[in-house]
Amino acid sequence: MKKILALLFCIIFLSACTSDSELKDISFELLPVQDVELPSTFKAGQQTVIYLKYKRPTNCYSFNGIYYEKNGNTITMAVDALRQNLSNCETVNENSFEVDYPLFIKTSGIHVLRFWQGKNAQGIDQFLVREIDVQE
């Protein structure tokens, strides 16, 4: 127990050492999902791996995770990226990155998966929408 408390104290102490200027150099942004690969079947109560493809706008972006929001039978997803706010960021011409995500849906029935693809010229969110039939 003492080791756990000591470790917890060290983590808190080290995280407190982060300066405000270091935090200003980093921001979080959502990146559009270009494409998605879904399996043909989903089973309720079982984890199913899906694959999302995205591109980085510059070399100052790095993958940070998947944004996930569930509202009833609708799931909205996007790529969460860490952006270093540097002056020497360069545009990258690279192939799409593919990231896997373990999707777990508890209930059977029709579910709507919405993958954020950015905003249109009017500033309205655009989504790649896929309906899936989750079997029992």
Side-chain angles (χ1 to χ4, degrees):
M1 183 70 171
K2 289 181 183 180
K3 289 182 182 180
I4 293 173
L5 288 175
L7 179 62
L8 184 59
F9 176 76
C10 288
I11 292 171
I12 292 170
F13 178 75
L14 291 174
S15 66
C17 295
T18 303
S19 70
D20 288 339
S21 63
E22 289 174 351
L23 294 177
K24 291 177 186 173
D25 292 340
I26 297 173
S27 61
F28 297 93
E29 292 185 21
L30 295 179
L31 296 179
V33 174
Q34 291 185 307
D35 198 11
V36 64
E37 186 179 317
L38 303 172
S40 58
T41 59
F42 284 79
K43 298 265 187 204
Q46 290 183 2
Q47 182 174 293
T48 304
V49 178
I50 63 173
Y51 299 91
L52 293 86
K53 292 182 181 175
Y54 71 98
K55 282 191 173 184
R56 301 182 309 160
T58 71
N59 62 346
C60 289
Y61 286 81
S62 60
F63 180 77
N64 189 56
I66 298 294
Y67 168 84
Y68 178 94
E69 179 182 303
K70 186 173 186 329
N71 185 6
N73 282 358
T74 301
I75 298 170
T76 303
M77 301 174 80
V79 173
D80 182 23
L82 181 68
R83 178 180 173 213
Q84 297 177 0
N85 299 316
L86 304 173
S87 60
N88 61 346
C89 298
E90 297 178 6
T91 302
V92 290
N93 293 322
E94 57 196 8
N95 293 331
S96 297
F97 288 97
E98 184 175 84
V99 61
D100 60 284
Y101 184 78
L103 187 61
F104 182 82
I105 299 176
K106 292 181 183 179
T107 58
S108 60
I110 301 296
H111 292 260
V112 177
L113 303 179
R114 298 179 346 141
F115 301 95
W116 187 72
Q117 293 195 301
K119 295 182 181 279
N120 66 12
Q122 292 77 35
I124 299 171
D125 290 320
Q126 301 296 299
F127 297 93
L128 172 65
V129 179
R130 297 286 189 261
E131 286 190 8
I132 57 170
D133 185 12
V134 179
Q135 303 294 316
E136 286 196 39

